[in-house]
């Protein structure tokens, strides 16, 4: 097979390097072919017949690989960083990103998704800024931090999901005497590769009026009523206008699905598997233009059917324990553990949760993915047959 190297050729000055190799379906290796390839190199040209196997494979071959990060270890390292690394201009956030082992050391969980643990010390503030990257925060433990989005203080508590569309001013402040950690999800890698990102510093300090600690943000008071859309709503903006999706509502929805199934009325996506998607109350779309967020509850003893799809996902075990299988990797997961499901890798989970490690006797999984991007481009595909297609 003909090979192409991206290494700079010192003789020709071209980054294109072609080597003719005798193989089925390839042209005969002759001096004339070698001369043709040198001409391609000089003019920065690459013929399709040498590359089609990589450019047009039979099915997706993700550059990311399945990988697991243990929450206990992440929390320990974040706590150590809390005593060593200040939060302020320059670094902006004490956020520690997951680096997929096959992505060259870049701080990317997948080719399109960023995931990080963020840590804020007692009484500490993270300064205001804004960026085009769409983002969210998800709280696996703790409380006491408020994120201030566009001047609206939003409380963060265990199980809360807090989306924030790009180009919104935001800061954080810890109003308690304890540190707090949560996970951040952003589309940084996607905007990085598409060269679409912008960033801007805001105020170094938020105002006293924004340092209040309400139980509900203004966005929740306006938009947080199930099935009710305010008639005062302005035209839709990118992303959800609701800045916090409370755990109590997520928990109740999942519990009711499993109870309905037990009563014989259905309501689950498969036996023992309840699931919800966080949606924009304005129009029912995904909460962010490039990120889909879901919550899955798998009853003890239940196992999900293997599933694969185009696009990648990051999961966090919120509660309970179980075994997750991604491709040829299987791990036992417990509270807080994070793992990656690359594009087209089959995924399944089996719940082993009990009374000692879960509140509901189930394995709870928070998931976010890049599905909206693939759906918008008509590239989203789901497969349950586990046959390459």
């Amino acid at each position: 097979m003909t090979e192409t190297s991206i290494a700079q050729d010192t003789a020709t000055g071209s980054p294109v390097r072609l080597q003719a190799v005798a193989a089925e379906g390839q042209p005969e290796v002759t001096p004339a072919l070698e001369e043709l390839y040198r001409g391609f190199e000089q003019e920065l040209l690459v013929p399709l017949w040498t590359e089609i196997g990589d450019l047009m494979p039979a099915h997706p071959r993700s550059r990311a690989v399945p990988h697991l990060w243990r929450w206990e270890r992440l929390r320990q390292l974040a706590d150590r960083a809390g005593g060593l690394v200040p939060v302020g201009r320059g670094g902006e956030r004490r956020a520690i990103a997951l680096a997929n082992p096959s992505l060259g050391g870049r701080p990317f969980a997948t080719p399109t998704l960023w995931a990080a643990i963020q840590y804020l010390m007692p009484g500490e503030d993270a300064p205001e800024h804004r960026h085009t990257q769409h983002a969210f925060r998800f709280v696996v433990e703790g409380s006491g931090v408020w994120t201030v989005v566009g001047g609206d203080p939003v409380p963060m508590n265990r199980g809360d999901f807090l989306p924030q569309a790009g180009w919104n001013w935001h800061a954080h402040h810890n109003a308690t005497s304890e540190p707090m950690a949560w996970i951040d999800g952003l589309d940084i890698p996607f905007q990085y590769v598409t060269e679409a990102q912008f960033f801007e510093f805001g105020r170094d300090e938020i105002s006293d009026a924004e340092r209040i600690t309400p139980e509900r943000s203004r966005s929740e008071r306006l938009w947080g009523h199930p099935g009710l859309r305010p008639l005062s709503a302005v035209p839709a903006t990118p992303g959800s206008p609701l800045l916090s999706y409370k755990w109590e509502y997520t928990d109740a929805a999942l519990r009711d699905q499993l109870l309905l199934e037990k009563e014989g009325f259905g309501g689950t996506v498969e036996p023992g598997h309840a699931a919800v998607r966080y949606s924009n109350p304005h129009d029912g779309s995904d909460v962010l233009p490039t990120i889909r967020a879901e919550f899955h509850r798998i009853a003890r003893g239940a196992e999900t059917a293997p599933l694969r799809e185009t696009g990648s996902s990051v999961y966090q075990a919120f509660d309970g324990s179980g075994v997750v299988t991604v491709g040829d990797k299987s791990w036992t997961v417990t509270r807080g553990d994070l793992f990656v499901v690359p594009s087209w890798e089959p995924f399944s989970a089996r719940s082993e949760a009990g009374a000692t490690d879960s509140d509901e006797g189930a394995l709870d999984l928070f998931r976010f993915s890049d599905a909206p991007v693939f759906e918008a481009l008509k590239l989203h595909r789901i497969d349950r047959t586990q046959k390459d297609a």
Side-chain angles (χ1 to χ4, degrees), residues 158-387:
R158 173 167 159 76
D160 291 351
F161 170 71
L162 301 97
Q164 176 202 292
W167 215 236
N168 280 289
W169 294 112
H170 58 285
H172 313 310
H173 70 95
N174 188 337
T176 72
S177 59
E178 298 292 331
M180 183 172 166
W182 63 90
I183 66 165
D184 289 334
L186 295 91
D187 61 357
I188 292 175
F190 174 73
Q191 293 204 27
Y192 179 86
V193 74
T194 55
E195 301 177 345
Q197 65 270 45
F198 290 87
F199 178 91
E200 188 174 335
F201 292 116
R203 299 164 296 168
D204 291 337
E205 296 182 359
I206 58 176
S207 67
D208 289 341
E210 295 166 300
R211 297 188 64 81
I212 59 174
T213 55
E215 291 186 6
R216 291 189 303 153
S217 64
R218 295 194 296 273
S219 80
E220 293 169 80
R221 293 163 61 190
L222 186 61
W223 286 97
H225 305 283
L228 300 174
R229 173 180 166 181
L231 293 182
S232 61
V234 297
T237 56
S240 174
L242 180 59
L243 299 178
S244 177
Y245 292 69
K246 295 291 193 185
W247 169 243
E248 60 184 288
Y249 303 124
T250 307
D251 183 36
L254 296 164
R255 186 185 307 116
D256 281 345
Q257 285 187 19
L258 290 173
L259 286 173
L260 284 168
E261 178 190 77
K262 187 177 295 186
E263 294 164 9
F265 297 108
T268 55
V269 293
E270 57 185 330
H273 179 189
V276 293
R277 178 181 300 169
Y278 298 95
S279 63
N280 185 332
H282 196 283
D283 57 12
S285 63
D286 283 296
V287 287
L288 295 168
T290 55
I291 294 175
R292 173 166 296 166
E294 300 171 346
F295 205 103
H296 297 253
R297 175 167 290 169
I298 305 165
R300 177 174 175 79
E303 184 170 2
T304 67
L307 174 72
R308 61 182 172 182
E309 59 186 301
T310 51
S312 53
S313 299
V314 178
Y315 284 79
Q316 182 168 45
F318 177 74
D319 203 22
S321 62
V323 176
V324 297
T325 300
V326 185
D328 59 0
K329 299 286 185 67
S330 290
W331 306 287
T332 296
V333 295
T334 57
R335 179 182 288 192
D337 292 346
L338 293 124
F339 60 93
V340 163
V341 179
S343 183
W344 214 239
E345 288 282 0
F347 166 73
S348 62
R350 183 178 74 251
S351 175
E352 297 178 348
T356 59
D357 63 11
S358 69
D359 297 329
E360 294 291 331
L363 172 61
D364 281 354
L365 297 171
F366 169 78
R367 176 201 185 199
F368 70 100
S369 73
D370 50 18
V373 176
F374 285 77
E375 288 184 352
L377 297 174
K378 310 303 180 188
L379 295 173
H380 190 245
R381 179 182 293 191
I382 295 177
D383 174 56
R384 293 180 173 85
T385 66
Q386 303 306 295
K387 295 177 181 179

Side-chain angles (χ1 to χ4, degrees), residues 8-66:
Q8 186 80 15
D9 186 304
T10 56
T12 65
S14 172
V16 176
R17 185 62 180 161
L18 303 172
Q19 182 180 0
V21 177
E24 184 179 355
Q26 293 296 310
E28 181 183 357
V29 179
T30 64
L33 183 68
E34 295 282 6
E35 183 180 1
L36 175 65
Y37 283 1
R38 301 296 82 76
F40 286 164
E41 291 170 356
Q42 292 172 9
E43 298 301 324
L44 300 177
L45 301 171
V46 179
L48 176 61
W49 62 82
T50 70
E51 300 296 312
I52 191 166
D54 288 330
L55 296 178
M56 296 181 179
H59 56 82
R61 298 172 182 169
S62 179
R63 290 184 293 118
V65 294

